[in-house]
Amino acid sequence: MLIEIIKGLSVPFIGTTLGAFCVFFLKNELGKGMQKALTGFAAGVMIAASIWSLLLPAIEQGASLGVWRFIPAAIGFWIGILFLMAIDYFAPPECIEGEQKDNLLLAVTLHNIPEGMAVGVIYAGLLNHADHITAMGAFSLALGIAIQNFPEGAIISMPLCTKGMSKRKAFIYGVLSGAVEPVASLFTVWAASLVVPVLPYFLSFAAGAMIYVVVEELVPKMSVGETTNIGIFMFAIGFSLMMILDVALG
């Protein structure tokens, strides 16, 4: 069990690292069309993961708490939304927008936290033998987030390189942007394991936080300007792939 948890918590970080490694063999910054495609794909993966890996298990487990089973999922979802909204409200605008290269790492790091929490909480449920959470289902969530982290690592490191940063330093920045995920995962496993009865709230909290990131950050990026169809098309592919992974492996 311990090996499975360590493997699952590491997979998303490996995805970011491999994406950042692209800076060593791709010469130019990714084109706008490619960025929209990768952003749409990431959004689809995160939405599907939020539904099948987090919200549906939260609803099923809510029945064991002696309340209407949708209540923990709804409450946790809203707490997740408001938590990320508070981060965006109180953090300096330049850190959230990430327009300056010095602030890009912080911007991405803030928005990687809910992904790490999502992986952590699903493995906390597996560790505590929660219903409707299997080892393959938990791994499918980790794998899905790793898939969306790959293009994210490239999108971070390559623009830094084209703006004058060395490839080695840009790679390190890309890797560091994903380092928060295993930290957030470990913290969430520890916290959720202490209070097992509120696990449905943790699951839906992570779902709300991830959906906020999609709506506030990813969807606008994939929809702005021309050629928006590529973003929508890749969103559908990412959503379908994550749904298939979760249902087939879970």
Side-chain angles (χ1 to χ4, degrees):
M1 178 68 73
L2 180 60
I3 294 177
E4 288 181 353
I5 292 175
I6 293 174
K7 180 174 67 174
L9 299 188
S10 302
V11 165
F13 179 61
I14 293 172
T16 302
T17 302
L18 292 175
F21 192 73
C22 291
V23 75
F24 290 110
F25 57 88
L26 293 179
K27 295 182 178 180
N28 301 317
E29 184 176 349
L30 295 175
K32 291 183 178 180
M34 179 60 69
Q35 291 189 33
K36 285 184 180 181
L38 296 177
T39 301
F41 179 83
V45 168
M46 292 177 70
I47 289 292
S50 298
I51 295 171
W52 272 275
S53 297
L54 299 171
L55 282 176
L56 291 181
I59 291 172
E60 293 298 329
Q61 293 175 42
S64 65
L65 299 181
V67 295
W68 286 331
R69 61 182 185 171
F70 61 82
I71 289 180
I75 293 175
F77 177 84
W78 268 101
I79 294 174
I81 293 285
L82 295 174
F83 176 74
L84 264 291
M85 190 177 293
I87 289 179
D88 278 359
Y89 180 81
F90 289 107
E94 64 272 14
C95 294
I96 298 301
E97 294 169 5
E99 294 179 354
Q100 302 176 23
K101 68 179 182 181
D102 293 335
N103 295 319
L104 182 60
L105 177 61
L106 178 58
V108 175
T109 298
L110 288 173
H111 287 164
N112 271 343
I113 292 174
E115 296 174 18
M117 295 178 65
V119 176
V121 75
I122 201 78
Y123 273 96
L126 180 65
L127 184 63
N128 290 282
H129 309 289
D131 294 335
H132 308 287
I133 295 180
T134 65
M136 291 304 294
F139 184 74
S140 71
L141 173 62
L143 181 61
I145 291 179
I147 291 171
Q148 80 92 19
N149 279 355
F150 179 86
E152 187 176 81
I155 289 173
I156 294 164
S157 60
M158 293 183 66
L160 294 176
C161 186
T162 58
K163 291 177 182 178
M165 187 178 289
S166 70
K167 289 187 176 182
R168 179 176 175 275
K169 191 174 181 179
F171 169 72
I172 292 173
Y173 269 53
V175 171
L176 288 177
S177 71
V180 69
E181 289 195 22
V183 175
S185 297
L186 286 171
F187 174 80
T188 307
V189 168
W190 171 77
S193 298
L194 290 178
V195 237
V196 177
V198 298
L199 185 60
Y201 295 93
F202 274 86
L203 287 166
S204 52
F205 171 89
M210 284 179 46
I211 288 177
Y212 178 88
V213 171
V214 172
V215 174
E216 191 272 342
E217 181 183 1
L218 301 184
V219 170
K221 287 182 180 179
M222 67 181 247
S223 303
V224 68
E226 301 177 355
T227 64
T228 58
N229 285 344
I230 183 64
I232 297 171
F233 182 77
M234 291 303 294
F235 174 93
I237 290 179
F239 185 93
S240 302
L241 177 61
M242 187 63 219
M243 177 183 64
I244 292 169
L245 281 174
D246 194 271
V247 174
L249 299 180

